[in-house]
Amino acid sequence: MSFIPGSLGFDEFGTPFIIIKDQHKQRRLTGIDALKSHIMAARSIAKTLYTSLGPKGLDKMMVSSDGEVTVTNDGATILNMMDGIHPIRIADGFELAAQSACKHLDSIADSFPVDINNLEPLIKTAMTTLGSKIVNKCHRQMAEIAVNAVISVADFDKRDVNFELIKVQGKEGGRLEDTMLVKGVVVDKDFSHPQMPKELKNVHLAILTCPFEPPKPKTKHKLDVASVEDYRALRKYEQDTFNEMVKKVKDAGATLAICQWGFDDEANHLLLKHELPAVRWLIAIATGGRIIPRFEEVSKEKLGYAGKVSELSFGTTKDKMLVIEECKNSRAVTIFIRGGNKMIIEEAKRSIHDALCVVRNLVQDNRIVYGGGAAEISCAIAVSTEADKISSIEQYAYRAFADALESVPLALAENSGLSPIDTLTQVRARQIKENNPALGIDCMLVGTNDMKEQNVIETLHSKKQQIILAAQLVKMILKIDDVRVPGEDF
């Protein structure tokens, strides 16, 4: 009976009833009041996001419950940090209107060239995505990094991009301009000895899960050293054991030892003496090598390969990292972001992720629509036209959906310092007159409303997803008609 929100009681006739805990401290909304509450909450969220749209959109400062501050204009981040007609008829009408809008998007979509020998169109598209972000002062560089990362891991035969192969990593210190794309992996480790070489070429790696130390009995033991000869014999045994371990790794052809466990200073010295660079406390990396549990099993076939292994140092700090590039049988890449502080790096990560998603979408489906609110205006016109053909009550939902679509170009115009209603009216009239769905809001004030000329584009896939998800969210909200919330003194 744990699903009952209280305790179960019985009256004198044996009729059961539920006693709800702290009922006097709770407030309940039902029916139309619940719907009004959800609609007001949705409008409040929309109002918060309204001024963040477009290249001149404003940033929002979000303060979490533990005092952590995030400054961003990324809509998804903002949402993640924020805590008459029958509703079902409205929801159904919105869903039909969304389907009509998506069908219209298919008819106005253009094909976008995706050619690995000419990446410039993809770079320009990624630059458009990054135009309003914190990285816009070096957004050409960031766009090139995003495009090259996706192209490196893309499977053009299947038209698929595995994001698991793209790792985004940040390090405080330095400038955004120091951000780089590594065709391999970056690990937060360094060579075990400061005198080991800082750069290795054509590296064969032995990935070991066995420690560099003399074998010890698995039972409790006691070793008495009664004389100098006993100590020297023990010392010689340890040195011979270490030498044998290093020899087995070297004989297999390894030029770098990656060890899951640490090793003491003597073993480290012997590795340096035998010119075998090593890294400790590292489990496994994407080098194509197999994990070796015992020194007796070290062989050439189990070694991994990397074209280059180098150690990065960061200014006057003692921070060091290893860059492992050109890994065998692996297309993994790492975007290594630098920034003055953690907040800059986190926002840069979100910006890069947006650019990666846009390029990924173009690889999967190279159809595009035009931005600047052009696609929304065109869809609003199409949905309004469709509403005129409907005689049922759903026509009102269609018209409301068209009005909602126009809120995007209205926000873009207002955030760019333009007169929202006048600008939207002019662009809408021109779209109908010229039959040109590429006309949008001139946010950058370059003198033309043609988004095709300004190269402001969006992927068809993402635009359809936005409309479908918005309609689903409305349907989810309208289906709730009962809310129970704690009172103010609870």
Side-chain angles (χ1 to χ4, degrees):
M1 302 292 286
S2 60
F3 61 87
I4 297 177
S7 56
L8 186 65
F10 297 90
D11 61 13
E12 64 271 20
F13 302 106
T15 305
F17 60 90
I18 299 172
I19 304 171
I20 299 178
K21 184 180 179 182
D22 297 322
Q23 174 72 7
H24 66 289
K25 294 182 179 180
Q26 296 188 8
R27 185 163 55 92
R28 184 178 183 185
L29 297 174
T30 59
I32 197 71
D33 291 331
L35 288 172
K36 284 181 179 178
S37 172
H38 299 324
I39 291 168
M40 291 303 296
R43 288 176 66 88
S44 175
I45 293 172
K47 188 176 179 181
T48 302
L49 296 177
Y50 189 90
T51 55
S52 70
L53 294 179
K56 297 184 180 179
L58 303 178
D59 291 344
K60 309 295 179 190
M61 180 179 287
M62 316 297 291
V63 182
S64 65
S65 57
D66 57 359
E68 185 178 351
V69 176
T70 301
V71 177
T72 181
N73 67 358
D74 181 63
T77 304
I78 296 170
L79 287 177
N80 284 338
M81 301 191 69
M82 296 180 72
D83 296 335
I85 303 171
H86 195 281
I88 297 302
R89 297 292 296 273
I90 298 174
D92 290 343
F94 264 48
E95 194 164 7
L96 291 171
Q99 292 173 9
S100 177
C102 291
K103 186 177 178 181
H104 179 70
L105 285 174
D106 286 327
S107 67
I108 65 171
D110 281 351
S111 181
F112 185 86
V114 177
D115 183 2
I116 58 175
N117 298 316
N118 180 19
L119 300 179
E120 190 61 27
L122 285 173
I123 292 170
K124 286 183 177 179
T125 306
M127 286 174 67
T128 302
T129 307
L130 298 171
S132 63
K133 306 294 186 183
I134 200 170
V135 299
N136 63 356
K137 66 175 182 177
C138 50
H139 68 314
R140 169 82 193 189
Q141 176 192 353
M142 295 295 182
E144 289 178 353
I145 287 173
V147 170
N148 288 325
V150 172
I151 295 299
S152 298
V153 303
D155 185 339
F156 286 97
D157 294 332
K158 297 180 180 178
R159 300 187 73 84
D160 186 34
V161 177
N162 185 0
F163 264 17
E164 295 293 323
L165 296 174
I166 302 177
K167 184 180 179 184
V168 182
Q169 195 166 340
K171 188 76 172 178
E172 293 178 38
R175 305 172 303 158
L176 274 172
E177 289 87 341
D178 298 330
T179 299
M180 67 175 83
L181 175 67
V182 176
K183 297 289 182 70
V185 291
V186 178
V187 290
D188 199 4
K189 300 291 175 184
D190 58 354
F191 288 117
S192 61
H193 199 289
Q195 294 181 9
M196 288 177 178
K198 304 303 179 190
E199 184 175 309
L200 303 171
K201 298 277 185 72
N202 297 321
V203 186
H204 295 275
L205 303 95
I207 304 173
L208 306 168
T209 57
C210 43
F212 266 110
E213 61 181 26
K216 296 177 181 177
K218 297 189 185 304
T219 57
K220 290 184 179 181
H221 64 283
K222 180 180 179 182
L223 180 65
D224 292 325
V225 179
S227 65
V228 174
E229 287 74 18
D230 290 346
Y231 177 77
R232 286 175 178 167
L234 178 62
R235 172 85 172 159
K236 184 176 185 303
Y237 168 74
E238 287 186 350
Q239 284 187 338
D240 290 345
T241 304
F242 282 135
N243 285 329
E244 184 64 24
M245 290 175 179
V246 176
K247 185 174 182 297
K248 285 177 180 176
V249 175
K250 292 270 289 184
D251 288 348
T255 54
L256 175 64
I258 304 281
C259 190
Q260 178 183 354
W261 308 104
F263 35 82
D264 60 19
D265 292 338
E266 184 174 3
N268 203 13
H269 172 73
L270 282 169
L271 289 166
L272 175 67
K273 181 179 176 182
H274 287 82
E275 298 181 351
L276 180 61
V279 181
R280 42 188 165 186
W281 304 113
L282 185 60
I283 298 175
I285 48 177
T287 60
R290 293 170 59 187
I291 293 175
I292 302 170
R294 299 189 307 157
F295 285 98
E296 288 76 13
E297 296 181 19
V298 178
S299 64
K300 186 177 180 179
E301 293 75 24
K302 294 183 179 180
L303 300 182
Y305 176 82
K308 180 182 175 183
V309 178
S310 55
E311 186 180 87
L312 289 178
S313 299
F314 301 101
T316 57
T317 66
K318 294 183 180 180
D319 290 339
K320 293 184 173 70
M321 297 187 87
L322 280 182
V323 178
I324 303 172
E325 302 177 74
E326 302 169 28
C327 299
K328 188 176 182 180
N329 299 328
S330 175
R331 293 176 292 136
V333 297
T334 302
I335 298 174
F336 188 50
I337 297 175
R338 304 298 309 282
N341 55 48
K342 183 180 179 182
M343 187 181 72
I344 294 287
I345 289 174
E346 292 303 316
E347 181 65 8
K349 283 183 178 180
R350 289 189 283 268
S351 303
I352 285 283
H353 183 264
D354 287 350
L356 291 171
C357 289
V358 168
V359 179
R360 185 268 315 270
N361 288 346
L362 285 171
V363 171
Q364 292 178 334
D365 183 353
N366 67 336
R367 291 177 296 168
I368 58 163
V369 291
Y370 295 96
E376 284 83 357
I377 295 171
S378 183
C379 285
I381 295 169
V383 172
S384 295
T385 304
E386 194 69 25
D388 295 335
K389 303 175 184 177
I390 299 173
S391 58
S392 63
I393 204 169
E394 276 80 6
Q395 63 176 295
Y396 297 105
Y398 268 68
R399 299 189 199 284
F401 193 89
D403 291 341
L405 285 169
E406 289 183 346
S407 65
V408 173
L410 280 171
L412 292 173
E414 186 174 329
N415 293 345
S416 301
L418 302 171
S419 172
I421 296 175
D422 290 346
T423 305
L424 174 60
T425 304
Q426 291 170 12
V427 175
R428 196 177 193 275
R430 283 188 60 192
Q431 274 211 22
I432 295 171
K433 182 180 178 181
E434 301 174 22
N435 193 26
N436 183 1
L439 296 175
I441 308 300
D442 182 17
C443 298
M444 304 304 291
L445 307 177
V446 298
T448 177
N449 292 102
D450 195 329
M451 297 297 108
K452 193 171 186 177
E453 288 183 23
Q454 291 198 34
N455 198 50
V456 180
I457 62 176
E458 290 189 68
T459 62
L460 175 64
H461 178 268
S462 64
K463 182 57 66 181
K464 289 169 73 173
Q465 285 294 107
Q466 291 165 24
I467 291 175
I468 292 169
L469 289 173
Q472 288 176 352
L473 178 63
V474 170
K475 190 170 184 178
M476 180 183 74
I477 291 173
L478 292 177
K479 286 181 72 175
I480 300 171
D481 72 339
D482 192 348
V483 183
R484 190 183 295 272
V485 294
E488 292 182 0
D489 61 338
F490 185 60

